[in-house]
């Protein structure tokens, strides 16, 4: 049975491609010639094809649109333009499965169709034809590491942990990017004393959605607040969450891995996946930023408060992470551990509770140090700067050191994307 092809190509190349598709001996067949992106997405969601051939300059084509095609089970072949080489780079950044130059004759169109069959798995990939001297390979940025700082509702101290762990990693000589990914109450910019609270994460997501986010662009919107420490500020109002779609944020984390050795993301508390909206693949997800960060993270720092209510929420939160398959590599932190609310031996009480109810025998404890934390917040400094001798700071420095030794950076395993000029 022929595989359906959805064609949304501009200009003379469309007729050449359609003719080449129909000459594949019944393996491919054009099922819809789409006038615009809306028609293309509708045809894909209706199951009319498994392969989409699209022009790189198709109106409104962005990363989210290509993700919607992928969700519908459609592979994407992007058609570039030799006169505009940036189109090919943009298509790669948007997530196209194959990028090829616009064919100008029957032979070049046949090559595009042959490569499309390889992408579909309908033909064996016997390696690239050496007669293609103009082929090049574009690889994704080298792989840094991502740590997501998450905790249940109740303000257990996610931002405090994220800011100070990032500061300690930077002080140890690691290039570090601190990201405010909390879409409910992000405040990293204020905590570290940034006067410009422009939402850098929203700007990065917009650039990623248009396929223009690269290392230079990300570096431009992440000011350096200390040696080796950059900050990507979050949205200033909770109602701006639709500006952070997961399709764009996935690309942001990928580029961030190339900019920093460690990317530390301060996440929101909610893990709800909006099941009522799941039937509409175009509907934005309220908690996309948090879910995207947790899925991308190499390690998740799970933060709970050191009081009876906080421990109960932490136990339930750990179960929720497990149910969703998130955070396979975790470090559990209990913040603000103090005798006044946990008994005369708070560390032992907290440890026993987590071992019994959550199966966590080795949680990291951060003692309560209100005066030092208040001073740091008042001065918009990290604990390392405001109170280097604080017990809380020493505990967080130890956590950062263990985090850094937990995972060893490895060469990127991201697949290369073949681009035919």
């Amino acid at each position: 049975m022929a595989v359906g092809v959805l064609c949304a190509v501009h200009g003379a190349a469309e007729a050449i491609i359609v003719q080449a598709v129909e000459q594949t001996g019944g393996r491919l067949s054009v099922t819809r010639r789409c006038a615009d992106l809306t028609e293309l997405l509708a045809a894909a969601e209706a199951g009319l094809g498994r392969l989409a051939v699209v022009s790189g300059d198709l109106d409104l084509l962005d990363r989210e649109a290509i993700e919607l095609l992928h969700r519908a089970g459609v592979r994407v072949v992007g058609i570039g333009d030799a006169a505009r080489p940036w189109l090919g780079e943009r298509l790669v950044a948007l997530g196209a499965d194959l990028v090829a130059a616009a064919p100008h004759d029957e032979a070049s169109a046949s090559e595009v169709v042959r490569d499309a069959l390889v992408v579909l798995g309908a033909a064996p990939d016997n390696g690239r034809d050496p007669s293609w001297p103009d082929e090049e390979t574009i690889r994704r940025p080298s792989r840094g590491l991502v740590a997501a700082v998450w905790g249940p509702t109740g303000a257990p101290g996610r931002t405090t942990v994220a800011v100070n762990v990032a500061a300690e990693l930077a002080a140890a000589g690691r290039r570090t990017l601190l990201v405010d990914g909390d879409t409910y109450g992000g405040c990293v910019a204020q905590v570290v004393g940034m006067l410009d609270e422009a939402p850098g994460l929203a700007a990065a997501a917009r650039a990623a959605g248009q396929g223009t986010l690269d290392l230079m662009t990300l570096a431009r919107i992440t000011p350096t607040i200390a040696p080796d420490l950059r900050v990507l500020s979050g949205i200033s109002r909770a109602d701006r969450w639709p500006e952070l779609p997961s399709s764009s944020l996935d690309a942001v984390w990928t580029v961030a891995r190339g900019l920093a050795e460690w990317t530390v993301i301060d996440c929101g508390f909610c893990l709800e996946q909006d099941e009522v909206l799941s039937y509409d693949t175009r509907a934005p997800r309220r908690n996309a930023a948090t879910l995207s960060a947790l899925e991308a993270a190499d390690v998740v720092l799970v933060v709970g408060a050191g009081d009876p209510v906080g421990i109960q929420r932490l136990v339930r939160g750990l179960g929720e992470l497990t149910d969703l398959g998130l955070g396979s590599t975790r470090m559990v932190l209990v913040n603000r551990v103090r005798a006044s609310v946990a008994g005369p031996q708070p560390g032992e009480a907290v440890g026993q509770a987590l071992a019994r109810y959550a199966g966590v025998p080795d949680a990291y404890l951060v003692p309560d140090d209100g005066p030092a934390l208040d001073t740091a917040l008042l001065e918009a400094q990290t604990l390392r700067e405001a109170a280097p001798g604080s017990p809380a700071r020493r505990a967080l420095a130890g956590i950062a050191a263990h985090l850094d030794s937990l995972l060893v950076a490895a060469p990127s395993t991201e697949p290369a994307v073949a681009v035919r000029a």
Side-chain angles (χ1 to χ4, degrees):
M1 183 176 179
V3 173
V5 178
L6 309 175
C7 189
V9 179
H10 292 156
E14 182 195 28
I16 301 175
I17 291 174
V18 170
Q19 183 178 3
V21 167
E22 297 301 336
Q23 293 177 350
T24 57
R27 288 178 292 177
L28 299 177
S29 177
V30 175
T31 53
R32 181 65 62 88
R33 300 171 77 167
C34 305
D36 53 28
L37 181 63
T38 300
E39 185 178 359
L40 174 64
L41 293 176
E45 291 175 2
L48 298 183
R50 284 182 49 214
L51 179 71
V53 185
V54 300
S55 291
D57 57 354
L58 185 66
D59 287 344
L60 303 180
L61 182 68
D62 58 11
R63 189 176 182 87
E64 187 171 5
I66 289 183
E67 185 187 34
L68 290 173
L69 290 171
H70 285 159
R71 288 182 188 174
V74 178
R75 296 297 186 112
V76 180
V77 176
I79 301 299
D81 185 345
R84 295 180 290 174
W86 57 268
L87 271 181
E89 297 175 3
R90 178 174 181 268
L91 284 165
V92 171
L94 292 180
D97 300 288
L98 174 71
V99 178
H104 51 82
D105 56 23
E106 183 178 343
S108 57
S110 296
E111 289 183 357
V112 173
V113 172
R114 187 191 69 179
D115 290 345
L117 285 168
V118 172
V119 168
L120 280 171
D125 186 359
N126 297 321
R128 290 292 182 179
D129 188 338
S131 66
W132 293 348
D134 55 355
E135 180 187 352
E136 63 177 285
T137 298
I138 295 179
R139 293 191 177 273
R140 303 182 190 278
S142 59
R143 188 177 179 84
L145 300 173
V146 174
V149 181
W150 178 85
T153 186
R158 295 180 298 269
T159 300
T160 297
V161 171
V163 169
N164 286 283
V165 165
E168 297 294 340
L169 288 170
R174 299 292 192 185
R175 288 179 290 110
T176 305
L177 174 62
L178 173 62
V179 181
D180 190 348
D182 188 345
T183 55
Y184 287 89
C187 57
V188 168
Q190 186 174 6
V191 168
V192 300
M194 289 175 58
L195 297 179
D196 182 7
E197 292 194 31
L201 185 57
R206 284 194 297 272
Q210 294 301 318
T212 59
L213 183 68
D214 55 19
L215 292 178
M216 293 298 295
T217 302
L218 187 59
R220 224 173 16 245
I221 58 179
T222 53
T224 300
I225 64 169
D228 290 321
L229 180 58
R230 293 177 174 271
V231 175
L232 186 61
S233 57
I235 56 177
S236 55
R237 292 178 1 199
D239 60 357
R240 296 185 63 176
W241 64 266
E243 298 180 34
L244 304 177
S246 59
S247 57
S248 296
L249 292 178
D250 291 343
V252 173
W253 313 143
T254 298
V255 178
R257 291 180 186 274
L259 181 66
E261 294 173 88
W262 274 106
T263 298
V264 180
I265 308 171
D266 180 17
C267 300
F269 68 91
C270 191
L271 300 178
E272 184 181 359
Q273 301 201 57
D274 305 322
E275 294 184 2
V276 175
L277 299 178
S278 63
Y279 297 102
D280 184 355
T281 57
R282 302 188 192 184
R285 294 188 299 169
R286 177 65 178 86
N287 304 305
T290 295
L291 295 170
S292 172
L294 290 172
E295 289 168 359
D298 298 287
V299 60
V300 176
L301 279 65
V302 185
V303 183
D307 57 68
V309 174
I311 295 298
Q312 182 190 51
R313 288 171 171 169
L314 176 59
V315 170
R316 291 178 177 174
L318 288 168
E320 192 173 358
L321 284 176
T322 300
D323 292 342
L324 294 174
L326 300 172
S328 57
T329 301
R330 303 175 189 168
M331 292 175 60
V332 179
L333 285 65
V334 182
N335 196 29
R336 298 189 64 204
V337 177
R338 57 202 186 277
S340 60
V341 74
Q345 295 181 316
E348 183 177 342
V350 168
Q352 289 177 352
L354 288 177
R356 179 177 180 182
Y357 297 108
V360 178
D362 53 356
Y364 295 84
L365 307 181
V366 180
D368 189 25
D369 191 352
L373 290 167
D374 288 347
T375 299
L377 186 59
L378 176 64
E379 301 294 335
Q381 295 178 328
T382 64
L383 282 173
R384 180 181 182 85
E385 298 167 320
S390 163
R393 183 258 159 174
R394 290 198 297 268
L396 289 168
I399 290 167
H402 183 74
L403 173 66
D404 197 31
S405 64
L406 185 64
L407 296 171
V408 178
S412 175
T413 57
E414 297 283 354
V417 178
V419 179
R420 292 180 50 242

